[in-house]
Amino acid sequence: MISQKAKYALRALVSLARAGRGQSRMIGEISKDQAIPKKFLEQILLELKRAGLVNSRRGRMGGYELLKAPEEITYGEVLRLIDGPIAPLPCLSKIAYKKCVDCQDEGSCEIRHVFERVTLATRAVLDQTSLADSLNLEDLPV
C-alpha cells in the first residue's frame, strides 16, 4: 500500500497540474480543495521542492507551481520519492536492491519469480502514467 503522505503528495501535484502551466496555487487553497492537513501539506511541498518538482513564489501572486510539465512527472517518480522502493521484496528493488537474507539462490527462488512479474507490471503502470494522464481519467486504460 502507498502511504497517506504519498497520496497527499500526488493529490497536491494533480491540483497544481490542473491549475495550468506557470500558474501557482496557495497552500491554503490546495489544503482545502484536497482535504489535506495544512501543516502536513507544507512538509510534503517542501520535500517536492527539494526534489525539483515544484517551486514556491512569495508575494501576492505567490504559492506553489510545477517546475516540470505534468507530462514529465510520473506516479512512479513521486512514489519512490515519498515512500521509497516500489518493489515488494528487497531483491527486486530498482533503487534499494538488497539480497534477501533467507534466499539461497535468486535464480531459482519461486517467490521472487512470481513477485518479479507483479513488480514489473506495477512499475510499467506507475512509470508510464503521468500527472497529465491522470487528469483524463476516461483515457486511462484499466
Side-chain angles (χ1 to χ4, degrees):
M1 272 196 269
I2 69 170
S3 69
Q4 188 65 45
K5 182 179 179 182
K7 283 172 64 176
Y8 286 161
L10 287 164
R11 287 183 11 207
L13 288 167
V14 167
S15 176
L16 293 173
R18 230 182 238 117
R21 191 81 174 150
Q23 299 297 312
S24 61
R25 297 204 67 209
M26 301 293 284
I27 287 180
E29 292 175 313
I30 300 168
S31 172
K32 185 179 177 203
D33 292 349
Q34 298 299 317
I36 303 170
K38 191 173 177 182
K39 285 288 183 196
F40 199 22
L41 180 58
E42 288 172 359
Q43 295 170 7
I44 292 167
L45 288 171
L46 191 59
E47 196 169 336
L48 295 173
K49 182 179 178 179
R50 279 191 225 115
L53 296 179
V54 300
N55 185 38
S56 62
R57 290 192 293 191
R58 294 181 179 208
R60 204 172 122 250
M61 300 302 288
Y64 280 85
E65 64 183 342
L66 292 179
L67 273 179
K68 294 175 159 182
E71 296 81 11
E72 296 174 12
I73 301 172
T74 67
Y75 273 63
E77 176 183 8
V78 176
L79 287 177
R80 284 185 192 91
L81 173 68
I82 302 296
D83 284 351
I86 293 171
L89 297 171
C91 64
L92 293 171
S93 176
K94 254 171 117 173
I95 61 172
Y97 171 85
K98 189 174 178 184
K99 188 178 186 321
C100 294
V101 178
D102 58 346
C103 185
Q104 295 174 2
D105 177 32
E106 286 181 1
S108 63
C109 178
E110 299 84 1
I111 296 167
R112 183 181 199 278
H113 287 293
V114 170
F115 280 94
E116 182 175 29
R117 291 174 43 214
V118 171
T119 302
L120 292 173
T122 301
R123 274 189 203 142
V125 171
L126 295 173
D127 291 340
Q128 294 172 19
T129 305
S130 70
L131 297 179
D133 294 328
S134 66
L135 294 177
N136 303 308
L137 292 177
E138 62 277 352
D139 295 339
L140 284 176
V142 178

